[in-house]
Amino acid sequence: MTDIPRLLILGGTGEAANLAETAQTQFSGRLGVIYSMAGRTKPIRDFVTAVKVGGFGGGIGLADYIISENIKILIDATHPFAKNISANAYDACLSTDTARLSLTRPPWDLPPGTKFIEADDMKHAALILSGFAKKVLVTTGQSNLNELKKLTDIRFFIRVMGKASEKATQENYTFIDGFPPFSLDEELALIEKYNIDSLLTKQSGGTATVNKIIAAIRRRIPIVLIRRPPPEPGEHVESVEDALMWLEQKL
Ligand SMILES: NC(=O)c1ccc[n+]([C@@H]2O[C@H](COP(=O)([O-])OP(=O)(O)OC[C@H]3O[C@@H](n4cnc5c(N)ncnc54)[C@H](OP(=O)(O)O)[C@@H]3O)[C@@H](O)[C@H]2O)c1
């Protein structure tokens, strides 16, 4: 165990990885950085920091980890839709009196005139799509796909990272394997290839997956956009730069 304070970054996003790398360099000798990821997908880069792969075992497990690893600061830089780990981070930091910051990228700001409808969740999205869609590009991941399977008049083209789970397979689903980022040309080609008439996606924000939104706008395809879950209370920034400034103040 070192004498310098230790920072745990909850990751799984590009911003989290950038923060980990920059913090490791910028605060070298002043801060020990641990980067943590759920481990469902392969890391997209080699890390200069210590890396922990796999869950903690809920909020209590995370609190135990914070104590046993002598973590003094936690930055939750997980995806805006990763609500379980964020709730666990909130609970664990509260119970261990650990400083916590949320780093969440801003949502996409859709230009005036964009055809989009906001949905509360997949169930709501399915109801909306049932009114007009025939060939839908789905980029919401593999969870909650069950909500779509009853819509047998609609063909769903579901983009997943890696192999689709067998449990998710349905007659009206076609899985497309793809790992972001995707260029605008790739997104336009996908829309053309499958004759897509609607896009179902989440309000993720960020640059790695924004081209599907731009492509849908270009082709005047309606977007059904699932709203973000409410964020946990507490200090919050939207950029790596602001997270680094916050860290500087804490040290
Ligand atoms: N949801 C999305 O759309 C999305 C998109 C891109 C990337 N991601 C990333 O993928 C990961 C999983 O997303 P999810 O929506 O399944 O999250 P989730 O529902 O909030 O988390 C499920 C469980 O996965 C473990 N976990 C999640 N993030 C972790 C991390 N950074 N380090 C260690 N364990 C973690 C935790 O297990 P324990 O309870 O055992 O600790 C958590 O309870 C997140 O790290 C997220 O940043 C998610």
Side-chain angles (χ1 to χ4, degrees), residues 57-140:
I60 293 175
L62 179 54
D64 288 346
Y65 182 85
I66 287 172
I67 293 164
S68 68
E69 293 299 318
N70 200 21
I71 304 294
K72 296 294 175 218
I73 306 171
L74 181 148
I75 298 185
D76 174 3
T78 57
H79 191 270
F81 281 82
K83 59 179 192 233
N84 296 305
I85 186 73
S86 292
N88 292 346
Y90 175 85
D91 291 344
C93 288
L94 199 64
S95 68
T96 56
D97 199 20
T98 304
R100 181 182 58 92
L101 176 74
S102 299
L103 163 60
T104 318
R105 58 175 86 131
W108 291 310
D109 190 11
L110 300 189
T114 305
K115 294 201 232 174
F116 80 101
I117 307 169
E118 286 187 303
D120 297 331
D121 51 27
M122 286 291 274
K123 191 174 183 174
H124 187 200
L127 187 68
I128 294 168
L129 286 166
S130 68
F132 57 85
K134 287 285 168 245
K135 291 186 174 179
V136 182
L137 175 60
V138 180
T139 66
T140 53

Side-chain angles (χ1 to χ4, degrees), residues 52-211:
K52 180 191 175 308
V53 181
F56 299 94
I60 293 175
L62 179 54
D64 288 346
Y65 182 85
I66 287 172
I67 293 164
S68 68
E69 293 299 318
N70 200 21
I71 304 294
K72 296 294 175 218
I73 306 171
L74 181 148
I75 298 185
D76 174 3
T78 57
H79 191 270
F81 281 82
K83 59 179 192 233
N84 296 305
I85 186 73
S86 292
N88 292 346
Y90 175 85
D91 291 344
C93 288
L94 199 64
S95 68
T96 56
D97 199 20
T98 304
R100 181 182 58 92
L101 176 74
S102 299
L103 163 60
T104 318
R105 58 175 86 131
W108 291 310
D109 190 11
L110 300 189
T114 305
K115 294 201 232 174
F116 80 101
I117 307 169
E118 286 187 303
D120 297 331
D121 51 27
M122 286 291 274
K123 191 174 183 174
H124 187 200
L127 187 68
I128 294 168
L129 286 166
S130 68
F132 57 85
K134 287 285 168 245
K135 291 186 174 179
V136 182
L137 175 60
V138 180
T139 66
T140 53
Q142 292 196 53
S143 52
N144 300 323
L145 289 177
N146 267 350
E147 300 295 346
L148 306 177
K149 73 178 181 195
K150 285 167 259 160
L151 304 178
T152 49
D153 288 351
I154 304 179
R155 180 105 223 139
F156 293 100
F157 298 88
I158 302 164
R159 185 156 61 198
V160 291
M161 287 192 259
K163 217 170 168 292
S165 129
E166 267 183 35
K167 277 193 296 184
T169 311
Q170 293 294 329
E171 184 63 25
N172 56 335
Y173 295 176
T174 300
F175 286 97
I176 304 165
D177 183 6
F179 203 93
F182 305 103
S183 70
L184 181 56
D185 283 347
E186 284 173 313
E187 299 294 38
L188 289 167
L190 192 65
I191 287 173
E192 198 169 324
K193 179 174 178 187
Y194 295 111
N195 211 6
I196 297 295
D197 65 15
S198 322
L199 170 65
L200 169 57
T201 191
K202 300 194 239 189
Q203 180 43 292
S204 298
T207 53
T209 61
V210 72
N211 282 329

